[in-house]
Amino acid sequence: MIPMRIEVTDFLSYGRAALDLDGLGLVALAGENGAGKSALAVDALTWGLWGESRARSDDDLVRAGGDECAVTIDVRTDRGSYRVARRRRLVRNGRAGASSLTLERLEDGAPASRLTAESIRETQERLNAILGLDGQTFINTACLVQGRADEFARASPKDRKAVLAEILGLRAWQDWAERARARRRQAEAGAAAADASAAALRRTLEGKPGLEAELASLTPAVEGMAERRQAEHAAVEEARTLAAAQAAALAERDSLRREVSRLETVVSRAQRDLSAMRGELGAMPALPRTEQLLQTCPTCGQRIDSPEARHRAEAHVAKEAVRRADLKARLQERHGEMDEAAQESRQAREQLACADAEIEAVGDQGARLAQAEAVLAQTDIDLARYQNGAASLRGRLDQMSSLEAEAAELETRQARLAAEGTDWQAVEAALGPNGVQAMLIDAAVPEIVDEANRLLAILSGQTTIDLRTQRTGKTTGREIETLDLLVADTLGVRPYEMYSGGERFRVDFAARIALSRILARRAQAPCRTLVIDEGFGSQDGRGREALMEALSAVAPDFGLIMVISHVDDLQDALPSTIRVQKTPAGSVASLS
């Protein structure tokens, strides 16, 4: 990554300024303190590309009196040339503040395609992928910022490892480790969920023996009640048969009673008829003789005895005899009918007495049937309740059998997911900072140390550094992963803070240049830009000469090296100089 052009508008001390850097190689930015050298070479570069600067907020980057600042950078990478434009608008007169970031691909110096995403974050991620590094990695390796040149040396071992990881292109390994961590957590969460579900099912299944015992005790009761119900049903059938027989007997008895009543009526009527006939017979006068029926002449008082009169008298006597005989015959016939009816009545009474005796003997079969049916109905209710209870228990036991299978499946799943979690944990550890990444850092550390010590040999000839990737824990006594910076000179190893300002700058310079050269060589993060902001003032003449010698030695590895300094002899030693001046209209920069 090499910036070719930087253009700023109302940015810090600048009104409008443009700086063409293409082809400069090694260049000095010269000017008085406060002229705006760092603002152009450091802040504009890091804010324009990554949104990072020395300011506390982006609003502080807007030039005093301005409403909006903008930085546009044309940058060349191994993937092509691109234009990045970042803007920040202040809140003014009720208008909301706003930030924007655009990204375009350049062809022949002109925009060819727009790569801006829907959000600043997504656009920044796309830009970082193109540049091959983020802002912190650039600042910690390729940019010795004024007052922050010692950040790598003073950084914690963890932060130093993070810088090296970015330089070495270990982000992909970390991404894989994060994916492995996500898969591990997913497997562990699944295993925990399966274990919790299986445990809940097992707690439910603890009631199975009780249900089985309850069903075992209920089954004989159901069978016994079913047998009792069968007997009661037979009793109902028997009672139903007897009740039907009794009903028939009652009907027969009623029929006999009606017959007896009818026969008694017949006898009573016959008796009345006989009485009437006897009265009628008794009322008849004695049968007269024929002579008694001959008439006496009213004139002479003599009987008229003529054939005609005798014939009439004889006819009358015969008629009376016939009438008397007929009445006697009817009397005798009616008497026979009465005797026959009386006989039938006696027989019917005897049959009725027998029927009454039989009905009395068997009792009320209807009541017995009603009682038997009521008992059977209650037994049916009880049996249904018992059977329903048994069916419910069987259903619950069947459900528990299904739960047992489900619990077994969950336990199998839990074991499988737990094993997967263990496997992914191993993968995570292998891909993480203490795994392959640590191995790659271990492999790169000698190259960094050798490069830094080669530069320190040019700069001082007495100072060396070393990076230790492991050390023994004070409390555990075990080896732990680290990245400790050790500085030594003729007096031995001393803490970094115990060296003079000039010595520390040489260590910082050598370490940063070594990191930058590694960064420039790595295909994963081809940053071929180096920015050195001040620090030369802490060196004496011999030290500055050594620094220039070191810069000349590393210059072939970089496409652009910008040295910010107000030291005159250093400016004269560099092939190109950009003069920065502060004017009432704002800072201006020009190539001389």
Side-chain angles (χ1 to χ4, degrees), residues 228-229 231-243 364-380:
R228 192 179 80 186
R229 196 260 179 201
E232 290 176 355
H233 182 268
V236 167
E237 291 300 319
E238 180 182 0
R240 189 172 286 124
T241 301
L242 292 174
D364 188 355
Q365 293 300 321
R368 178 184 173 189
L369 173 60
Q371 183 180 4
E373 288 176 338
V375 171
L376 179 61
Q378 185 60 47
T379 300
D380 284 339

Side-chain angles (χ1 to χ4, degrees), residues 295-590:
Q295 295 180 352
T296 299
C297 178
T299 303
C300 64
Q302 295 291 319
R303 285 184 183 165
I304 300 173
D305 184 9
S306 63
E308 291 84 3
R310 184 170 287 278
H311 177 72
R312 285 194 297 270
E314 287 175 357
H316 177 76
V317 172
K319 182 179 178 182
E320 287 296 321
V322 170
R323 189 169 70 87
R324 189 181 294 270
D326 179 63
L327 181 59
K328 287 181 179 180
R330 285 192 295 112
L331 180 63
Q332 185 177 2
E333 181 183 359
R334 190 61 173 160
H335 196 281
E337 291 177 353
M338 184 189 70
D339 291 342
E340 183 180 356
Q343 178 64 29
E344 290 178 359
S345 177
R346 284 192 298 271
Q347 292 176 351
R349 285 183 178 278
E350 291 175 357
Q351 292 175 357
L352 180 59
C354 291
D356 286 338
E358 291 176 359
I359 291 172
E360 185 67 24
V362 298
D364 188 355
Q365 293 300 321
R368 178 184 173 189
L369 173 60
Q371 183 180 4
E373 288 176 338
V375 171
L376 179 61
Q378 185 60 47
T379 300
D380 284 339
I381 293 173
D382 294 340
L383 179 59
R385 186 175 68 253
Y386 276 58
Q387 288 174 334
N388 290 338
S392 176
L393 290 173
R394 292 190 191 94
R396 293 172 65 184
L397 288 172
D398 290 342
Q399 184 181 10
M400 285 196 169
S401 297
S402 299
L403 292 180
E404 283 180 330
E406 185 178 351
E409 182 179 350
L410 285 170
E411 288 167 349
T412 301
R413 174 180 173 81
Q414 187 276 334
R416 175 176 59 79
L417 290 174
E420 286 183 12
T422 301
D423 293 341
W424 282 114
Q425 185 177 25
V427 172
E428 177 188 353
L431 298 176
N434 295 328
V436 174
Q437 296 184 49
M439 295 171 58
L440 294 174
I441 290 176
D442 287 346
V445 161
E447 182 181 359
I448 297 170
V449 171
D450 290 345
E451 180 65 26
N453 286 333
R454 186 176 72 83
L455 293 174
L456 283 172
I458 297 174
L459 295 173
S460 68
Q462 298 177 342
T463 307
T464 61
I465 68 169
D466 193 12
L467 291 171
R468 298 286 176 84
T469 59
Q470 289 185 338
R471 59 181 168 86
T472 302
K474 294 181 179 180
T475 57
T476 63
R478 294 181 297 180
E479 293 294 319
I480 59 175
E481 296 290 334
T482 185
L483 193 61
D484 293 329
L485 174 64
L486 305 179
V487 184
D489 59 7
T490 55
L491 299 178
V493 177
R494 287 184 292 158
Y496 168 83
E497 292 78 11
M498 299 304 297
Y499 287 85
S500 68
E503 290 172 322
R504 289 199 304 271
F505 179 78
R506 287 193 290 271
V507 169
D508 296 333
F509 180 85
R512 289 298 192 88
I513 297 299
L515 291 173
S516 298
R517 295 191 73 183
I518 298 299
L519 181 62
R521 294 170 187 169
R522 297 286 171 174
Q524 296 90 340
C527 180
R528 300 186 61 241
T529 300
L530 179 63
V531 180
I532 303 173
D533 188 3
E534 296 296 356
F536 291 92
S538 64
Q539 305 297 306
D540 56 20
R542 175 69 189 92
R544 287 194 291 272
E545 291 178 2
L547 287 174
M548 288 304 304
E549 184 180 352
L551 284 175
S552 299
V554 301
D557 288 333
F558 296 92
L560 176 65
I561 300 177
M562 291 189 290
V563 179
I564 302 172
S565 180
H566 61 275
V567 179
D568 292 336
D569 55 352
L570 183 64
Q571 301 169 18
D572 296 337
L574 297 178
S576 300
T577 300
I578 297 174
R579 299 287 179 181
V580 179
Q581 294 179 319
K582 198 168 188 179
T583 70
S587 298
V588 295
S590 60

Side-chain angles (χ1 to χ4, degrees), residues 76-106:
R76 182 170 62 246
T77 72
D78 290 346
R79 300 172 60 175
S81 298
Y82 300 86
R83 177 166 294 167
V84 182
R86 192 182 300 270
R87 295 177 178 274
R88 175 60 186 173
R89 185 179 66 197
L90 297 178
V91 177
R92 284 287 190 271
N93 300 324
R95 183 187 63 184
S99 299
S100 66
L101 174 64
T102 59
L103 175 62
E104 298 173 305
R105 185 178 180 86
L106 300 179

Side-chain angles (χ1 to χ4, degrees), residues 132-134 136-138 140-141 152 156-175 177 431-445 448 467 469 482-483 515 518-519 522-526:
L133 75 167
D134 59 21
Q136 283 302 308
T137 301
F138 178 81
N140 284 317
T141 57
F152 182 79
S156 67
K158 179 181 178 180
D159 291 338
R160 290 194 199 104
K161 291 185 74 172
V163 171
L164 284 186
E166 189 69 26
I167 293 174
L168 298 174
L170 302 185
R171 183 184 302 168
W173 291 96
Q174 188 59 35
D175 289 343
L431 298 176
N434 295 328
V436 174
Q437 296 184 49
M439 295 171 58
L440 294 174
I441 290 176
D442 287 346
V445 161
I448 297 170
L467 291 171
T469 59
T482 185
L483 193 61
L515 291 173
I518 298 299
L519 181 62
R522 297 286 171 174
Q524 296 90 340

Side-chain angles (χ1 to χ4, degrees), residues 18-307:
L19 187 61
D20 289 320
L21 302 171
D22 193 21
L24 292 183
L26 183 58
V27 61
L29 269 76
E32 297 179 354
N33 289 334
K37 303 184 295 297
S38 298
L40 187 61
V42 178
D43 292 315
L45 183 62
T46 58
W47 188 76
L49 293 179
W50 295 287
E52 299 187 16
S53 69
R54 295 172 296 170
R56 288 177 298 180
S57 73
D58 289 353
D59 289 349
D60 295 336
L61 297 174
V62 181
R63 184 186 178 201
D67 292 331
E68 180 180 23
C69 69
V71 174
T72 302
I73 301 175
D74 292 351
V75 61
R76 182 170 62 246
T77 72
D78 290 346
R79 300 172 60 175
S81 298
Y82 300 86
R83 177 166 294 167
V84 182
R86 192 182 300 270
R87 295 177 178 274
R88 175 60 186 173
R89 185 179 66 197
L90 297 178
V91 177
R92 284 287 190 271
N93 300 324
R95 183 187 63 184
S99 299
S100 66
L101 174 64
T102 59
L103 175 62
E104 298 173 305
R105 185 178 180 86
L106 300 179
E107 290 186 6
D108 299 328
S113 58
R114 184 177 176 86
L115 303 178
T116 306
E118 293 183 358
S119 67
I120 294 178
R121 180 182 60 81
E122 292 173 332
T123 304
Q124 187 66 62
E125 291 175 353
R126 189 172 296 178
L127 176 59
N128 288 352
I130 292 172
L131 299 178
L133 75 167
D134 59 21
Q136 283 302 308
T137 301
F138 178 81
I139 292 171
N140 284 317
T141 57
C143 188
L144 276 75
V145 181
Q146 183 177 358
R148 295 172 61 183
D150 60 352
E151 281 192 358
F152 182 79
R154 292 185 181 278
S156 67
K158 179 181 178 180
D159 291 338
R160 290 194 199 104
K161 291 185 74 172
V163 171
L164 284 186
E166 189 69 26
I167 293 174
L168 298 174
L170 302 185
R171 183 184 302 168
W173 291 96
Q174 188 59 35
D175 289 343
W176 294 334
E178 293 294 337
R179 293 176 187 174
R181 179 181 295 112
R183 295 293 296 272
R184 171 181 63 80
R185 289 175 176 173
Q186 182 181 3
E188 290 175 348
D195 184 62
S197 298
L201 291 179
R202 289 300 179 191
R203 287 193 295 271
T204 301
L205 291 170
E206 291 175 357
K208 184 179 180 181
L211 293 178
E212 290 175 336
E214 187 177 353
L215 180 60
S217 64
L218 186 59
T219 300
V222 172
E223 293 174 351
M225 188 165 291
E227 293 176 358
R228 192 179 80 186
R229 196 260 179 201
Q230 186 176 3
E232 290 176 355
H233 182 268
V236 167
E237 291 300 319
E238 180 182 0
R240 189 172 286 124
T241 301
L242 292 174
Q246 187 179 52
L250 290 172
E252 180 66 21
R253 184 182 68 175
D254 291 342
S255 177
L256 288 172
R257 284 176 176 174
R258 288 194 297 273
E259 182 64 15
V260 168
S261 177
R262 184 186 68 80
L263 291 172
E264 289 178 347
T265 301
V266 169
V267 170
S268 176
R269 187 179 296 121
Q271 287 176 343
R272 288 194 305 270
D273 291 346
L274 287 174
S275 178
M277 288 179 183
R278 288 191 185 101
E280 183 181 356
L281 186 61
M284 285 183 177
L287 186 65
R289 294 189 303 276
T290 302
E291 289 80 6
Q292 293 176 339
L293 294 177
L294 294 175
Q295 295 180 352
T296 299
C297 178
T299 303
C300 64
Q302 295 291 319
R303 285 184 183 165
I304 300 173
D305 184 9
S306 63

